[in-house]
Amino acid sequence: MAVFGILSGRLDKAIRHIFTAIGGQRQSVKPSVRVISSLGYFACLLSLSASLLWLWPNTVVANEMSLQEHRQALSQLTPAQKLAHSHRVSMILEADRPFWNQVAKFAKIAAMDLNIQLDIVYGDGTPETLLTLGHEAIDNAVAGIIFVPILGMGQGLLVEAKRNNIPVVTINSEFAQSSLALRTQNPNWVGKVTMNSSNLGQNLLEKMFEEEASSEQMNLLLLAGSKDNLDVQKRTAELKNAVSKQFANAKFKVVNTDWSASAARAAYLKAIQQDPNINTVIAMNTTMAMAVTHEAEADTSRPMPHIGSLSWNHQLAQGIQKGTVAAGVGGVEFQGAFGLVLLFDYLNGVDTRAKGFEFQVLPLIISPNNYNDYYELLDFDSLQPDF
């Protein structure tokens, strides 16, 4: 398209030049000559237009062949040669919350290993802000964009990136629209990284109660995020289904929060006031899980509930070690890092779409029984993985 624009500009200048030359001669030629001159102008215009129509498809083909040759040349580079060139990439995360801070932390480590200039920005959980931040990234002429679809939306950013020939990798969430349709419409969408959440709720519950054969009725409080979040809806439904299958006559209460410790603490205290028999709490992030843990530890008048978390950090690991937390889900915080690796491969000539468009992170569920096996791997304070 850029070549087409240049050719169009040159053609316009050429026609204007011819028109000026003809116009300048009008004062000194006979009327019959003026007609011939005008016909000559239109004939020239038609000839040049036909040339452009012939040249345009051939230019497109040439551009595509040039791009393919360029990517083929990139794929032949040695690892050292690929790392010698630094790409600038923008990563747009959903919101400035502890979970996304952990995603950013691992992404920064990967960027250092891959010699990528990584710009990380946080949205406010709305599709509008996602698009605004995406426009800023495009204006900064980044080599690639990694972003999290918000509320199933973000297709507009895919389209804008395509217009500017910028490859995109998405992480964590799905679009509301069919992935196959979007992939067909947007060849610049080169990959996505998601969490394999199949049976996640069931596996978490099994780890939380693996040492117990209690006849106590399951009475579970789920502290979730925003009810408008598609991933929250999916996790809630999956966990509710797991509880109903594994525990007869189970009670299941959901409280949607803003993900903060204060909201989780308030929701927990209100829930146990309304139903003192709540014996299990699962939180969708570590911030909420640790807030409940601290509150439950301080209340010696009632038994400590079983507490689980659908994410992981160093503080949660300490809770598992102490026995105040029953289990946590780790590994999903690598999504940003894996997305960066995927984009790095594409920028260096690898056909990521052909080799496997979707990369699924298999979560690890850590409990006191396997804590020592995974602690070193998931110790966020000291881990420096090599990507």
Side-chain angles (χ1 to χ4, degrees):
M1 291 297 288
V3 173
F4 175 70
I6 294 172
L7 291 173
S8 299
R10 290 177 177 173
L11 175 62
D12 180 70
K13 289 180 180 178
I15 292 175
R16 288 175 182 273
H17 178 73
I18 294 170
F19 181 81
T20 302
I22 293 174
Q25 295 172 1
R26 288 183 177 176
Q27 302 299 324
S28 58
V29 295
K30 297 179 179 180
S32 59
V33 176
R34 291 180 188 172
V35 174
I36 294 173
S37 298
S38 298
L39 290 173
Y41 164 70
F42 285 113
C44 181
L45 176 61
L46 289 172
S47 176
L48 286 170
S49 298
S51 298
L52 180 61
L53 290 173
W54 173 85
L55 184 60
W56 164 235
N58 287 279
T59 301
V60 172
V61 173
N63 282 345
E64 291 179 351
M65 291 181 63
S66 176
L67 180 60
Q68 292 175 1
E69 291 171 357
H70 174 66
R71 291 186 56 75
Q72 181 65 24
L74 287 174
S75 67
Q76 301 302 315
L77 296 176
T78 65
Q81 289 173 325
K82 292 177 181 180
L83 289 172
H85 180 70
S86 181
H87 298 282
R88 185 179 181 187
V89 171
S90 176
M91 179 176 288
I92 307 170
L93 299 178
E94 182 178 309
D96 189 2
R97 297 198 305 265
F99 172 76
W100 294 113
N101 297 154
Q102 297 289 6
V103 171
K105 179 175 182 178
F106 277 107
K108 289 176 183 177
I109 295 172
M112 291 178 61
D113 285 349
L114 299 173
N115 191 26
I116 287 177
Q117 302 174 51
L118 181 62
D119 302 328
I120 297 178
V121 292
Y122 296 96
D124 59 3
T126 65
E128 294 77 16
T129 299
L130 168 64
L131 192 58
T132 298
L133 294 174
H135 284 155
E136 292 177 3
I138 292 171
D139 291 341
N140 288 331
V142 296
I145 297 174
I146 299 173
F147 75 88
V148 181
I150 306 297
L151 303 179
M153 301 175 67
Q155 300 94 317
L157 182 51
L158 275 182
V159 174
E160 289 295 324
K162 181 178 68 172
R163 289 174 184 159
N164 291 271
N165 298 315
I166 297 176
V168 170
V169 171
T170 59
I171 62 173
N172 192 70
S173 299
E174 300 284 353
F175 291 105
Q177 186 177 341
S178 164
S179 289
L180 181 58
L182 283 177
R183 286 176 61 185
T184 303
Q185 298 163 9
N186 301 279
N188 63 313
W189 186 22
V190 299
K192 66 177 180 178
V193 180
T194 58
M195 179 178 70
N196 184 346
S197 58
S198 300
N199 302 318
L200 180 61
Q202 178 179 330
N203 295 336
L204 177 61
L205 286 168
E206 288 176 355
K207 281 292 183 183
M208 290 175 66
F209 294 94
E210 61 186 346
E211 291 186 339
E212 297 187 20
S214 175
S215 58
E216 185 179 20
Q217 182 188 32
M218 166 66 70
N219 192 338
L220 188 146
L221 169 65
L222 174 63
L223 296 176
S226 169
K227 64 180 179 181
D228 296 325
N229 187 300
L230 296 184
D231 293 291
V232 168
Q233 296 172 14
K234 184 166 64 175
R235 302 282 181 271
T236 300
E238 198 274 328
L239 190 58
K240 186 175 183 178
N241 183 56
V243 169
S244 64
K245 284 184 176 181
Q246 290 186 254
F247 301 92
N249 304 315
K251 290 186 177 181
F252 188 91
K253 180 180 178 63
V254 181
V255 178
N256 294 100
T257 74
D258 63 1
W259 303 95
S260 68
S262 58
R265 187 178 297 108
Y268 170 70
L269 291 174
K270 181 178 180 179
I272 60 173
Q273 184 179 23
Q274 295 173 344
D275 185 356
N277 294 320
I278 288 175
N279 52 32
T280 305
V281 180
I282 293 180
M284 285 195 177
N285 71 5
T286 54
T287 299
M288 295 193 291
M290 294 312 299
V292 171
T293 300
H294 296 322
E295 198 64 44
E297 282 185 292
D299 185 3
T300 58
S301 65
R302 64 190 312 274
M304 188 78 180
H306 293 84
I307 298 173
S309 172
L310 287 173
S311 63
W312 171 273
N313 66 6
H314 186 65
Q315 290 71 36
L316 194 84
Q318 293 177 325
I320 290 176
Q321 188 178 35
K322 287 171 55 180
T324 55
V325 176
V329 179
V332 296
E333 295 81 4
F334 286 100
Q335 292 180 78
F338 287 135
L340 205 57
V341 172
L342 198 61
L343 191 55
F344 174 84
D345 284 344
Y346 178 83
L347 292 172
N348 285 284
V350 178
D351 188 356
T352 55
R353 288 169 62 98
K355 291 184 177 295
F357 178 77
E358 182 173 3
F359 188 100
Q360 286 198 336
V361 177
L362 184 64
L364 302 171
I365 300 179
I366 302 94
S367 68
N369 283 348
N370 62 7
Y371 169 84
N372 291 327
D373 297 333
Y374 294 119
Y375 177 74
E376 291 298 328
L377 173 64
L378 298 171
D379 178 7
F380 287 158
D381 288 350
S382 63
L383 179 61
Q384 292 289 323
D386 184 1
F387 290 94

